[in-house]
Amino acid sequence: KFINYSVVGIGVSSVQKKILKKNFNGIKMVYIGSISERRELDTIVKAIIILMQKHQKNITMDFIGDGDSKEKIRYLVPDNLKNSIRILPKISRSSIKNKLNEYHIGIGYVPNGVYEYAPALKVLEYMAAGLVVVASSTIGLKKYIKHERNGYISKNDVDSWAFELNKAVSCI
């Protein structure tokens, strides 16, 4: 059975949680962080488009943050998915916890060769909020996420991300 564990961190309690069944229609995914060219988020956007085009469930994806790649992401999203894949403004660190309560799945994408050994703070925040996490296969993230036990680990290519996102959506 899939269990999401909270991890101990600053302002985070060490409480084991089951996947939260949130009371709203559809499945909501989120990425919080830099939306810059160096983050290579086009991989995630293309994987989400594949997922949404194949799935019958109502799925939405919010990118929350700021950076120089927002227009590129908007350009990649087909017209029929513009209301489902959104870019929202950066939020304060203090409001992240409450904002994450609106979501089911947290995206922990880290580009190849960047921050290979460090766990992304966003992933720890997703886990603390009880979200299902899909994350890049980095040494740092694999310390916290055990594939198909408390999250999903993906290679950084479009097909692998679409595959792992589909598994995450199916467990909701």
Side-chain angles (χ1 to χ4, degrees):
K1 187 167 186 156
F2 187 97
I3 300 289
N4 190 359
Y5 294 90
S6 293
V7 295
V8 178
I10 298 172
V12 177
S13 63
S14 59
V15 178
Q16 180 177 341
K17 299 178 183 180
K18 290 188 179 181
I19 294 173
L20 303 175
K21 295 293 182 187
K22 310 224 176 166
N23 294 323
F24 41 81
N25 293 331
I27 295 172
K28 295 182 76 174
M29 302 186 299
V30 66
Y31 166 90
I32 296 179
S34 173
I35 304 175
S36 65
E37 191 67 34
R38 67 184 174 91
R39 288 292 180 173
E40 302 172 13
L41 293 173
D42 52 314
T43 300
I44 293 299
V45 174
K46 291 172 185 175
I48 290 165
I49 291 167
I50 290 169
L51 175 74
M52 290 179 170
Q53 289 174 338
K54 287 184 178 179
H55 239 284
Q56 298 301 314
K57 294 182 180 182
N58 178 22
I59 301 170
T60 58
M61 174 68 204
D62 289 343
F63 289 89
I64 300 174
D66 200 13
D68 60 5
S69 195
K70 293 189 293 189
E71 286 308 313
K72 180 180 180 181
I73 290 173
R74 286 186 181 105
Y75 177 78
L76 290 172
V77 177
D79 289 340
N80 65 322
L81 295 177
K82 296 250 186 242
N83 292 327
S84 299
I85 300 174
R86 305 180 309 166
I87 299 174
L88 304 178
K90 182 178 180 178
I91 60 175
S92 68
R93 174 122 338 259
S94 61
S95 53
I96 288 175
K97 181 180 175 183
N98 288 334
K99 187 68 175 170
L100 289 177
N101 288 328
E102 300 175 18
Y103 298 94
H104 296 96
I105 298 170
I107 306 297
Y109 183 78
V110 177
N112 291 327
V114 178
Y115 310 114
E116 178 66 29
Y117 296 95
L121 178 59
K122 71 177 113 276
V123 170
L124 302 178
E125 291 169 331
Y126 299 154
M127 293 173 79
L131 276 64
V132 175
V133 176
V134 183
S136 296
S137 181
T138 67
I139 292 168
L141 292 176
K142 289 191 287 188
K143 288 179 182 178
Y144 293 97
I145 299 171
K146 304 304 175 206
H147 186 64
E148 295 184 351
R149 295 208 50 218
N150 69 336
Y152 299 93
I153 296 290
S154 180
K155 297 177 192 169
N156 276 354
D157 63 77
V158 173
D159 291 334
S160 296
W161 267 92
F163 184 74
E164 297 303 335
L165 287 169
N166 184 60
K167 285 198 264 183
V169 165
S170 297
C171 83
I172 303 293

